[in-house]
Amino acid sequence: MKSVRLFLPVLTVLAMVAACNPAQKQATAASECKYALMAGETLDSLYTHFGIAGECLLRENYPHDESYKAGYLAGEDTNEKNPYSYLWPYSGTLSAVRALYDATGDTTYLTLLEERVLPGLNQYYDTLRTPAAYASYVNGAPQSDRFYDDNVWLGIDFTDLYDATGNTAYLDKAKEIWKFIESGTDSLLGGGIYWCEQKKGGKNTCSNAPGSVYALKLFKATSDTAYLDAGRNLYSWTKENLQDTADCLYFDHKLLNGKIGRAKFAYNSGQMLQAATLLYNITGDDRYLTDARDIAASAHSRFFDRSATDSIGEFPRFGRGNVWFMAVMMRGFHELFLADGNPEYMDSFLRNLDYAWATGRDTSTGLFEEDWENATPDKRKWLLTQGAATEMLATAALYSCRSDKH
């Protein structure tokens, strides 16, 4: 499937299907929700500006710059040229398309997934090392590092796809990825998952918190209690080793020498929020719901750190930062809403998304800025930001427009 504009064809096909199939009426209504339309338009802009004619792979930035060096790897980016995105930003498109399917039920997104997203993703799949897993860069380049957190994010998406579709191929892939995650654990520091297979200097919240979410989702999909045990143990390990008891939020990592990396990122606490809520749903233990609510209150206070005004009044606004971090945190807040029905936090996300749509995009391209106040427009737009914005808008549609959202 070549790089094409996707938004209008998606709506056209959906309308044609719904006209002759009453069972599609709910999906149609969700697709016509303003947030689903915004998500579809953002995904369309993503493929228009990051797509490569005749290929499933994507560029990392727009405008494209082959001399770009990624600053988020475990070591120095040594590729002489980077014609393609690294795995982490590319994986954001899997999350975005998966979220749009969840929100709308539109099978056109499954076609996009099968014909473009997954064939591109397969070009990162490394079977030369065992267990097999996704590497940080494409197979045609020199061998690259493999990150446990990159693979956890993919495993979560595959498990969610199985939950949404019943397609066992997605569950089989999720189980396969889990084998790689298990290979990244040992008894040092009392347990936990490393960050990078090639550089095992410490254990990070970004591997362990979503690792718990991943295991718990696998348990829900399979009823295999080994996954429940793993999810509960990873949650306990992360809480014992990396939680700041002063505010219930989570530090970034713990080195093997015991030193704590004390930075706090939205996605880390958001994934522990989601894990706590899942554990409450599975076990009925109110302690986990208390944990989730404590994390949510503190995360909302810390990561919504500026104010803005809309037609309703003043509201807490995201600070400038990694949009994908906020998207992953939103997963936790949505999970909590599904458990306790309190709309306060999700409504904050919706008001931020409305604000960003008006102020935080380059309207000439339809691409989002990192700073949603748009005070300093980005000279170079990042693929992951666009995937994350699409996911957030799709989650907003799932929250606000699906009649079965409760």
Side-chain angles (χ1 to χ4, degrees):
M1 185 176 181
K2 293 186 178 181
S3 175
V4 294
R5 291 187 65 82
L6 298 167
F7 180 53
L8 289 178
V10 164
L11 294 185
T12 301
V13 170
L14 181 58
M16 292 170 62
V17 171
C20 60
N21 185 356
Q24 292 295 319
K25 286 184 178 179
Q26 179 171 290
T28 304
S31 294
E32 292 174 352
C33 162
K34 75 169 186 176
Y35 294 110
L37 296 178
M38 291 154 70
E41 186 173 342
T42 304
L43 185 67
D44 179 37
S45 297
L46 182 158
Y47 278 107
T48 296
H49 296 290
F50 294 86
I52 306 169
E55 297 199 38
C56 294
L57 293 170
L58 298 168
R59 306 293 193 193
E60 177 132 348
N61 297 287
Y62 175 81
H64 174 57
D65 178 6
E66 282 197 348
S67 65
Y68 164 80
K69 298 296 182 183
Y72 49 78
L73 304 173
E76 184 180 356
D77 184 347
T78 57
N79 285 339
E80 291 185 6
K81 294 183 178 181
N82 285 310
Y84 305 116
S85 165
Y86 279 86
L87 174 65
W88 180 30
Y90 187 90
S91 74
T93 64
L94 174 62
S95 300
V97 174
R98 184 267 308 156
L100 265 165
Y101 177 71
D102 280 350
T104 66
D106 175 9
T107 56
T108 307
Y109 290 116
L110 292 183
T111 300
L112 173 63
L113 183 81
E114 292 291 340
E115 294 187 0
R116 181 158 192 172
V117 179
L118 295 183
L121 184 63
N122 195 52
Q123 295 189 51
Y124 298 86
Y125 197 57
D126 172 15
T127 59
L128 297 179
R129 291 172 282 187
T130 55
Y134 292 89
S136 61
Y137 202 64
V138 295
N139 292 329
Q143 192 174 75
S144 57
D145 292 342
R146 304 196 301 182
F147 291 84
Y148 296 106
D149 64 324
D150 284 356
N151 281 269
V152 165
W153 305 120
L154 294 170
I156 289 172
D157 277 329
F158 278 115
T159 310
D160 284 345
L161 282 166
Y162 168 72
D163 182 58
T165 66
N167 185 340
T168 57
Y170 298 138
L171 181 59
D172 290 343
K173 178 58 72 172
K175 290 179 178 178
E176 190 173 308
I177 294 170
W178 180 256
K179 293 177 183 177
F180 173 68
I181 304 307
E182 285 187 311
S183 76
T185 64
D186 61 23
S187 61
L188 298 181
L189 297 178
I193 306 167
Y194 288 99
W195 177 48
C196 177
E197 181 183 36
Q198 284 67 43
K199 297 175 177 64
K200 294 181 176 178
K203 298 179 179 180
N204 291 46
T205 305
C206 69
S207 303
N208 288 278
S212 177
V213 170
Y214 181 17
L216 295 170
K217 285 176 176 284
L218 280 170
F219 167 70
K220 291 177 68 178
T222 65
S223 299
D224 184 341
T225 56
Y227 292 124
L228 175 57
D229 291 342
R232 191 155 33 198
N233 289 339
L234 287 170
Y235 179 85
S236 296
W237 183 90
T238 310
K239 184 176 181 179
E240 291 168 7
N241 285 274
L242 287 163
Q243 187 179 48
D244 183 349
T245 56
D247 63 6
C248 300
L249 299 181
Y250 282 81
F251 298 124
D252 185 61
H253 63 267
K254 187 173 187 178
L255 299 178
L256 294 184
N257 64 11
K259 183 178 179 180
I260 301 292
R262 301 183 71 84
K264 293 176 182 175
F265 298 111
Y267 73 139
N268 285 334
S269 294
Q271 282 296 279
M272 286 300 282
L273 164 58
Q274 188 171 16
T277 308
L278 288 169
L279 279 166
Y280 167 71
N281 292 338
I282 291 167
T283 67
D285 188 334
D286 287 338
R287 290 177 299 176
Y288 292 122
L289 182 58
T290 298
D291 282 356
R293 286 171 169 165
D294 288 345
I295 297 167
S298 194
H300 189 257
S301 176
R302 181 182 178 94
F303 297 114
F304 292 71
D305 62 358
R306 295 185 289 181
S307 62
T309 303
D310 60 13
S311 60
I312 301 174
E314 190 173 87
F315 66 95
R317 183 166 58 84
F318 298 162
R320 178 182 175 88
N322 188 308
V323 175
W324 183 83
F325 287 179
M326 301 301 286
V328 173
M329 182 172 69
M330 187 180 185
R331 299 178 189 180
F333 279 102
H334 187 239
E335 197 80 60
L336 179 60
F337 165 76
L338 294 175
D340 71 5
N342 179 1
E344 175 189 0
Y345 300 130
M346 286 299 296
D347 287 348
S348 287
F349 279 95
L350 266 59
R351 292 176 76 178
N352 272 271
L353 289 166
D354 288 339
Y355 188 84
W357 190 259
T359 66
R361 294 186 310 138
D362 177 347
T363 55
S364 68
T365 62
L367 299 176
F368 279 83
E369 311 287 354
E370 279 290 309
D371 184 351
W372 283 4
E373 192 174 26
N374 204 11
T376 53
D378 302 319
K379 294 181 179 179
R380 183 171 60 198
K381 307 294 192 295
W382 193 24
L383 173 62
L384 188 61
T385 298
Q386 313 314 315
T390 303
E391 179 187 345
M392 293 179 80
L393 290 163
T395 303
L398 183 64
Y399 164 70
S400 63
C401 300
R402 283 293 290 264
S403 62
D404 59 346
K405 67 182 180 180
H406 295 284

